[in-house]
Amino acid sequence: MLKRCSCILVLLLTITAVPAEASILQTKHNFSKFAPAGNVYRSDAVDEVCIFCHTPHNANPQTTGLWSRELSSAQYTLYPGPTEDPRSSLEADPAQPTGSSKLCLSCHDGTIAVGDYYGRLNDPSLGAITGRTLIGTNLSVHHPVSIRLVAETEKPGTELVNPMLNPLANAKLEGGRVECGSCHDPHKNAPSFLRTLPDDGQLCTECHQQTGWIGSAHQISGAVWNGRTVGRWACLGCHTVHNAVGGTRLLRPSYNPRDGIYDQLEDDPETGACLNCHNGTIPGVPDIRGEFQKEFKHNLVGDPVHYPHEFEDGSFTVAMHVECVDCHDPHRVRARTDIREIGDHLVGPELEGVMGLKNIRYGTVAWQAPTAEIGRLWAIEGDQEAGLCLKCHSSQSPMSFDGRDYMKAMDIFFNPNNWATHGCIVPSKNRKPQHESYVYAGLVKELREKWDGIWEEVVIACSDCHGNDDTGEDRIWGPHGSNWGKGYVNGETPRWLLRTATIPSHYDDGEPVPADTDPIVCYLCHDINVYGPRDVQVGQNQSNNPNASVPAANKRSGFWFHGIRVHYKSSKVKYPPGVPNISCFACHGDYSDLSKPLSEIKSGGLHGANYARGDQPNTSPVHFLNGFAIEMFSSDEAIAQSSGTVSCGDYDYMVDGVSVGCDKHSSLQYTRRPIPPEAWD
C-alpha cells in the first residue's frame, strides 16, 4: 500500500508540472540547454527545466512550492514607508521581502547564481543575474513588495481596491500583501511574465483606481510617444515599476531631451517625467518646457520631491519650489477645448482635481485672512482657480518665500472689505455701481458688454494677469513662464510672470498708437483707447479746465490726462527696486508703507490696498491710488466722491538706499470729473 501511494504521489507531481512546463519552455525562465534561442541564461549541460527552482525532494524548508534554491541573506533597502519618510506615498510600511518576492529575489537580487540550487552550485555555466533584469538589494526604486494593501474601503482616499474581490482580475494578493507574484506569473509565456498586459493601464488599475482617470487627457490621448500613444502607455507613460528615478511615486526618468542635452529641468526627478512628452517634440502636446526656459517662471528645480499629502501636513516649508503636480493632477486633468476668457475664474479642466483651498470665506474686517478648507478643486462645486494659487500664495500656506512674505499674503490683499481690491476671489465691497464706475467705463468694449448688468458681481482670475507673454490663440495658458519685464527691472529681478496685450497700430479714432507703446497686461482689460499714450501735450494749467482738449475716449476716465506723454514712461518718476517702470504702477499700486525697507513692504502688485502712507495719514488707497512711486494726498472721502479735488505730488523718499518718487509736481490739484453720458456709448 505504501508503494502504491508513492507511485500516486509521483504521478500527481508529474501531472501538475505539465501545464507549467509546457508554458515555461518558451520563456526566459527556461535555463536548460534546450532554452529558446536568444536566452541569455542557458545551461551547458542540464536538460531539465523546473529543477532550477523546484525539487520533488529535500526542498528548502523555509519556503513553500518545493523550492530548490537557497534564499538570499541580503538585507534590502526598502521603498520608503510613512514611518521612515512622512512624504511617502504609501499607507503602510513595507517589510523585508516575504512570500513569492523572497523566492524571486533568490535570483533577481544578484547575490546567488542561477545555477546554485539544492544549496550548492550545480551548474557553473549559470552565474548571477546582471543587466536589466537585475533588481539588486535596493528596493527603494521598485514597486513596493511585502506590503499590506490598504483599500479604499478600509481607508477612504487611498484609491486602492482589493483585486481578490474581483473574479475577473488577474492581479493577486498573497495574504493581503502585494508581492512579486501579484503582477508576475513566473511560468507564463508573456512579456515580462505579467499576469496580463499593462496596455491601457489594465493591470495597474486592477489595484489602483484613481478617481477621474477615465476620460482624463492622458487616458484618452492619441499623441504618440516612444512608438505608442500616451493613452496606450497609460500608467507606464509616467511611472515605471522598476528602476525609477528615486524618491516616491516610481516616476520615469527623462528619456528624450529636446536638444539632446539634459538640463536641470530634465534631470529633476519629477519634472523630467512630464518633459518626456511636454518638450515640444510631440505634435499636439503643449511645449511646457519652452515656457520654463523664459526669463520669469515658477521654480521647478530643487528639493524636496513633492508628494500627495504635503499640503495637508504642511511639510513643504523648505524653499520656493513647485512641481507640475502642484497645479495639475495628471490622473484627473482634462484637455481644454475652448478659449479661456478674462473673468473665467472657476478652475478649468486643466486644473480640476488638484488640491487647493475651497469654500474661501471672508469676515467683515479689512486686511484679514479668510477661512478655507483643503480639498480637491472642481468647477462643478464652484471652486476657483485662486484656490490653487493660494495653496502657496496665502497667509495660511507653509511655503517659504525666502523673506518675501508679501508673496504669501495674497488672500489678505484680496479681502473685499479693503478699500480696494482687484476683484479676485470675491468682488470688492467698495466697487462702484456700473453707471458710477470709472473702472467699468474704461474697460475694453468686449468686457463692458460681457459684464453689463453684472459688474458688481464680477470676479477675475489670477491667470487673467499672470501667465504666458505670448498672445496667439494657440498659446499655452497659465503662469508657467513669461519673458515680459526684461527691460523694466530696477535693481533686483522681479518675479511678475505677467501676460501681455496685443497693441493695435491705431486707436479707434484713427490716431496712430506710438511705436514704443508697451504691451502691458493692463491693456487686456483697461482700454488702450482710454489709457494708452498719445502724442498730445496738455499744460498743467489745463488740469482743472472742464473744456480741456483731449480725445473723447480719455473722458471715460475720471482723470482725462492718462495718455499725455509726460505720464507715460516719464523720466520724472523713480521706481523702487524690483518694480517694473510701467506708467500704471507710478500711481496705481498697493504699497502699504514706502518709507520702510523693501523687505518689509507689504506689496502685492495690484492685488489690494488698505493702508495709507505712514507719514501721510490722509493719503488714500482707493482705486489703488497709493502707487509704487506717487502718492495721492487726499482723504478717502475726497477720493471716493464722483467728483472732487485730489492732489498728488513730489516725494523724495528712500527705499533700500534708492531715491524714489516723482519730481514733476510738488502738489498738483486736480478736479475729478463725473463720467459724461457719451462714455457709455
Side-chain angles (χ1 to χ4, degrees), residues 125-199:
S125 65
L126 290 172
I129 283 180
T130 60
R132 63 182 298 271
T133 57
L134 175 65
I135 299 297
T137 60
N138 179 11
L139 305 184
S140 67
V141 292
H142 301 274
H143 192 290
V145 293
S146 304
I147 181 173
R148 188 172 67 87
L149 186 145
V150 181
E152 182 83 16
T153 52
E154 177 183 346
K155 184 178 180 180
T158 65
E159 298 187 310
L160 293 170
V161 296
N162 185 344
M164 304 300 286
L165 301 179
N166 178 5
L168 300 179
N170 297 278
K172 308 295 181 185
L173 297 182
E174 298 177 20
R177 298 186 309 274
V178 176
E179 303 286 2
C180 294
S182 297
C183 298
H184 301 280
D185 180 345
H187 305 105
K188 187 174 183 178
N189 185 10
S192 300
F193 298 95
L194 290 172
R195 292 189 176 275
T196 188
L197 292 177
D199 296 354

Side-chain angles (χ1 to χ4, degrees), residues 384-611:
Q384 297 190 40
E385 174 192 286
L388 169 59
C389 304
L390 293 179
K391 181 162 66 171
C392 294
H393 293 283
S394 77
S395 55
Q396 305 172 59
S397 170
M399 178 71 84
S400 169
F401 284 97
D402 295 340
R404 299 179 179 89
D405 286 344
Y406 59 83
M407 293 180 70
K408 54 182 287 185
M410 295 301 106
D411 55 341
I412 295 176
F413 284 105
F414 287 124
N415 186 316
N417 302 289
N418 295 345
W419 260 108
T421 83
H422 227 136
C424 187
I425 307 177
V426 290
S428 170
K429 290 184 178 179
N430 292 316
R431 183 178 292 173
K432 287 284 188 180
Q434 180 172 316
H435 280 75
E436 298 178 24
S437 172
Y438 291 100
V439 178
Y440 178 84
L443 293 174
V444 296
K445 183 178 181 181
E446 293 79 5
L447 291 182
R448 280 184 285 143
E449 293 175 348
K450 178 180 179 180
W451 293 338
D452 185 15
I454 60 170
W455 165 243
E456 293 176 61
E457 303 303 320
V458 167
V459 174
I460 65 171
C462 303
S463 62
D464 288 339
C465 297
H466 299 283
N468 186 353
D469 58 320
D470 298 331
T471 57
E473 288 192 359
D474 59 347
R475 64 188 177 276
I476 296 171
W477 287 98
H480 303 99
S482 173
N483 279 324
W484 190 89
K486 284 185 177 182
Y488 297 84
V489 178
N490 287 308
E492 68 175 49
T493 301
R495 299 170 181 264
W496 293 83
L497 268 176
L498 290 176
R499 295 177 59 190
T500 58
T502 300
I503 302 301
S505 60
H506 291 76
Y507 293 111
D508 289 348
D509 58 12
E511 181 185 333
V513 177
D516 62 345
T517 301
D518 292 316
I520 56 176
V521 63
C522 312
Y523 294 143
L524 289 173
C525 295
H526 304 284
D527 196 345
I528 193 173
N529 290 281
V530 178
Y531 305 106
R534 293 176 180 266
D535 288 322
V536 296
Q537 299 293 330
V538 179
Q540 181 171 334
N541 60 349
Q542 294 291 306
S543 61
N544 285 309
N545 181 358
N547 299 312
S549 178
V550 297
N554 289 155
K555 296 183 179 180
R556 283 165 45 200
S557 166
F559 180 63
W560 288 4
F561 307 111
H562 277 101
I564 64 173
R565 267 296 181 178
V566 73
H567 289 146
Y568 184 75
K569 286 188 175 180
S570 174
S571 60
K572 301 291 186 180
V573 177
K574 304 170 187 176
Y575 294 80
V579 174
N581 55 342
I582 61 176
S583 54
C584 303
F585 284 176
C587 298
H588 302 280
D590 52 20
Y591 266 25
S592 58
D593 194 340
L594 283 173
S595 63
K596 292 183 178 180
L598 187 64
S599 61
E600 299 178 23
I601 292 174
K602 296 177 180 177
S603 168
L606 280 166
H607 302 98
N610 199 60
Y611 288 132

